[in-house]
Amino acid sequence: MTKSVHFSHQATLPAIGQGTWYMGESRSQRAAEVAALRAGVEQGLTLMDTAEMYADGGAEEVVGEALKGIRDKVFLVSKVYPWNAGGKKAIAACEASLRRLGTDHLDLYLLHWRGNYSLAETVEVMQTLIAQGKIARWGVSNLDIDDMQELWQVDGGQQCATNQVLYHLASRGIEYDLLPWCQQQSLPVMAYCPLAQAGRLRNGLLNNNAVLDIAHAHNASAAQILLAWVISHQGVMAIPKASSVAHVKENAAALNITLSADELAKLDRAFPAPQRKMPLDVV
């Protein structure tokens, strides 16, 4: 597994992690979800991403169960609601996430999307959480180029460790301005919905002839090609969800797929990069 992404404070992680959106919603699926997350860590997918929003904290409880005995092997990420992203509310929200996760700290804490708290207020409370030892670093999610440039003008804003946004082969709007800007700042981008679970032009992507031809050439699945495409971009990590051990092993194997220049060009022809500013896809 050679593809990796560098985060602040000497954290280098495989370019594929594990998402947990929609986990924790069914008790009957809990054992399978826990097993999948633990198998992912065994496969080297050591970043787990969750949020207080997912299943109203239920996903964090699933992650907490999966973490038992292996917390030191996992780079743990959670996200705070925008209406909790300032002052005492943020402290309480973080502490509640930590309780559900069964840990005393997060490796990364993200503002889930922008709300009524100013970016300055959010940065201030993130710095407080770091000082209290509750989080190691902080970042944002669903912020577009204008938001990021505004954040960079806030005192302490350049300590942001990542921006997590929707990104896949058929939803390439960030390539026009946001992704190049993040790359210029050496700011990692975390791609959610990398298997086209949402966003523009998602219908038919897994059945696209160009994707399927390349998958056949690599003896791989279409989903693996989509992941390989996402992580072919400098500083980009993909965080797909996998609810079964077989699926997580398939995701991990995508780390070993390198797409050729001709294959990347073929995908570009099938799904061209944007030639103008696009609204940020958010789900």
Side-chain angles (χ1 to χ4, degrees), residues 106-243:
L106 295 168
D107 297 290
L108 177 61
Y109 199 33
L110 306 181
L111 169 65
H112 207 152
W113 65 91
R114 195 165 180 182
N116 291 329
Y117 280 105
S118 70
L119 292 175
E121 288 175 292
T122 297
V123 171
E124 181 181 5
V125 79
M126 291 295 190
Q127 292 173 329
T128 298
L129 288 167
I130 289 174
Q132 292 176 346
K134 294 182 174 72
I135 67 174
R137 53 185 74 71
W138 63 272
V140 296
S141 180
N142 296 308
L143 265 60
D144 206 347
I145 181 71
D146 292 343
D147 300 305
M148 293 304 299
Q149 290 175 334
E150 180 183 341
L151 176 62
W152 243 237
Q153 299 306 311
V154 171
D155 186 27
Q158 294 187 24
Q159 297 302 308
C160 176
T162 191
N163 187 12
Q164 183 181 124
V165 293
L166 188 151
Y167 184 44
H168 59 70
L169 178 60
S171 184
R172 300 180 63 177
I174 68 169
E175 292 179 35
Y176 185 77
D177 51 8
L178 179 60
L179 179 57
W181 184 88
C182 290
Q183 290 169 332
Q184 288 166 6
Q185 312 303 323
S186 298
L187 181 71
V189 169
M190 296 175 68
Y192 73 81
C193 294
L195 298 179
Q197 299 97 318
R200 283 173 169 69
L201 304 177
R202 62 189 178 274
N203 293 333
L205 181 55
L206 289 164
N207 297 316
N208 178 268
N209 285 335
V211 175
L212 292 175
D213 286 349
I214 294 169
H216 179 73
H218 286 270
N219 193 27
S221 68
Q224 287 175 314
I225 299 305
L226 296 185
L227 288 177
W229 180 85
V230 167
I231 65 174
S232 72
H233 296 82
Q234 174 194 333
V236 179
M237 164 182 274
I239 48 169
K241 185 196 108 175
S243 294

Side-chain angles (χ1 to χ4, degrees), residues 2-20:
T2 57
K3 299 181 182 69
S4 60
V5 173
H6 304 284
F7 287 80
S8 58
H9 308 304
Q10 310 301 314
T12 298
L13 301 167
I16 296 176
Q18 302 188 79
T20 62

